[in-house]
Amino acid sequence: MAGTFRDIKADILGKITRGEWPPGSLLPAETELAETYAAARATVNRAMRELAEEGILERKRKSGSRVRLSPLRQARFDIPIARQEVEAQGRRYRYALVRSEVASAPDWLLARMALPQGAQVRHLICLHFADDLPWLHEDRWINLDLLPQARTADFRAAGPTEWLMAQIPFSAVEISISATSADTGLAAHLDCAEGTALLQMERLTRWDDRTVTLVRLVHHAGHRMTTRY
Amino acid sequence: MAGTFRDIKADILGKITRGEWPPGSLLPAETELAETYAAARATVNRAMRELAEEGILERKRKSGSRVRLSPLRQARFDIPIARQEVEAQGRRYRYALVRSEVASAPDWLLARMALPQGAQVRHLICLHFADDLPWLHEDRWINLDLLPQARTADFRAAGPTEWLMAQIPFSAVEISISATSADTGLAAHLDCAEGTALLQMERLTRWDDRTVTLVRLVHHAGHRMTTRY
DNA sequence: GAGTGGTCTAGACCACGCC
DNA sequence: GCGTGGTCTAGACCACTCG
């Protein structure tokens, strides 16, 4: 009936959306579907595996494949890198270092980053501009135990994001998105009124189970993160 | 060397993180890697395909596979369904319908949902509670041209989310996340001060290229969306 | 125990995209 | 052209898990 795993996937999805296979129902086994579609089982497997990854199906050995009762859906957002985000809009990117210091981590940071008492951190505040309009406020803390090179690195020309990617290109990250109210500093840097609601993204980067860096990114007023699925 | 596609994937990722294959470099071809690992090409292919899906590799026919220069990373967030979100925290879920009416769509909605002049919509305002504390404010508009059943449906007992999932279980969705300031109504419903920064999620649901429903979900103050990768 | 999905193999053909 | 990844096939063995 169908040649490619995409055709099979689309056909199965069609049967589900048209109600032939309602939520909760059991689908035929892979071997049976392979006969139906006159395809190899591996092909049917790929189609069903992807449907399961997308949260449409629930698969278990022996019990078979069922249509999820409430289709567990998830959205994927690209992790923004300021320069790329700005330039993708055809706007001119500019970066500025606002503040830079080496200090002992304050108590809240010790807790948040799981650092030992007295740990030293490099603290940076940076601004990213799009066509000279404030785009993103970056408040970053770098663990100097793990990245002693950060003590002397110069972040005046380029932001710490690129520098960090060169040091630890792949790592485990925990992201949380929330809303925050502009305090005096944020209002001044992002050119908005105090109290304005702003979208904040906090990223905790781990490497080998130890926290490398914590960053708070606050976007300009009105910013949206958008995606489709 | 390695038996499973997971082993191969882990080994390749290891070579990348250890710097053996730096960003931008060209990896050996699948056939060559298959020999190296003493595995079938399909197995190597699965490993590399997944690495590409995760944004680590960039693959092109003829040119081969390269380590991405700036590893394009993306985060996946589960789409929250209020009841499940609340009950997953071990809290008691309660739902309330605040307002319900059938009306002509206002101009901004005509534009946002791409509706024809004079289109009728069902407008609902609902509240979702966790242990009787306000959790989520739902402001929903349903296109009555596409879903005439929504004109007479009763949303007093159960929220429109479940009802809609039964009508159009699978559809294309556009999601955008932003920060908003609590107006008088939101402040009253979510039990917070006016002007409080709140996390807002807007979802536009399409079916067959026409807009079915627009919903604005505003979480209680302090809410965070979190994920790892 | 037996049925189902999870995975691997060896081989094949094809489509894309540099040269 | 021709090398690379994209995919399909037919067969096989295994692991999980339900009854």
Side-chain angles (χ1 to χ4, degrees), chain A residues 74 76 176-177 224-225, chain B residues 74 76 176-177 224-225:
Chain A
Q74 35 191 224
R76 292 159 76 127
S176 80
I177 294 176
R224 286 172 169 244
M225 289 176 52
Chain B
Q74 29 189 232
R76 290 159 79 127
S176 80
I177 294 176
R224 287 173 168 243
M225 287 176 54

Side-chain angles (χ1 to χ4, degrees), chain A residues 147-162:
Chain A
L147 282 177
Q149 318 95 292
R151 186 182 293 271
T152 53
D154 184 356
F155 295 108
R156 278 172 298 181
T161 308
E162 279 93 349

Side-chain angles (χ1 to χ4, degrees), chain B residues 49-126:
Chain B
R49 176 159 38 84
E50 292 198 357
L51 287 171
E53 274 168 13
E54 291 165 23
I56 311 290
L57 297 182
E58 204 169 4
R59 315 192 75 194
K60 251 192 294 192
R61 283 156 152 131
K62 165 72 181 174
S63 343
S65 304
R66 291 182 178 282
V67 181
R68 280 199 116 95
L69 284 169
S70 54
L72 161 58
R73 311 217 64 165
Q74 29 189 232
R76 290 159 79 127
F77 292 89
D78 292 336
I79 305 306
I81 298 175
R83 174 189 297 278
Q84 294 176 11
E85 213 176 6
V86 168
E87 290 177 347
Q89 297 189 5
R91 303 173 73 183
R92 191 166 45 81
Y93 173 78
R94 187 164 70 79
Y95 160 81
L97 179 61
V98 173
R99 184 173 158 188
S100 168
E101 59 175 358
V102 171
S104 292
D107 286 347
W108 66 266
L109 190 64
L110 292 177
R112 191 85 178 83
M113 290 181 70
L115 299 175
Q117 273 292 334
Q120 296 261 300
V121 290
R122 177 103 188 233
H123 181 206
L124 301 162
I125 294 181
C126 321

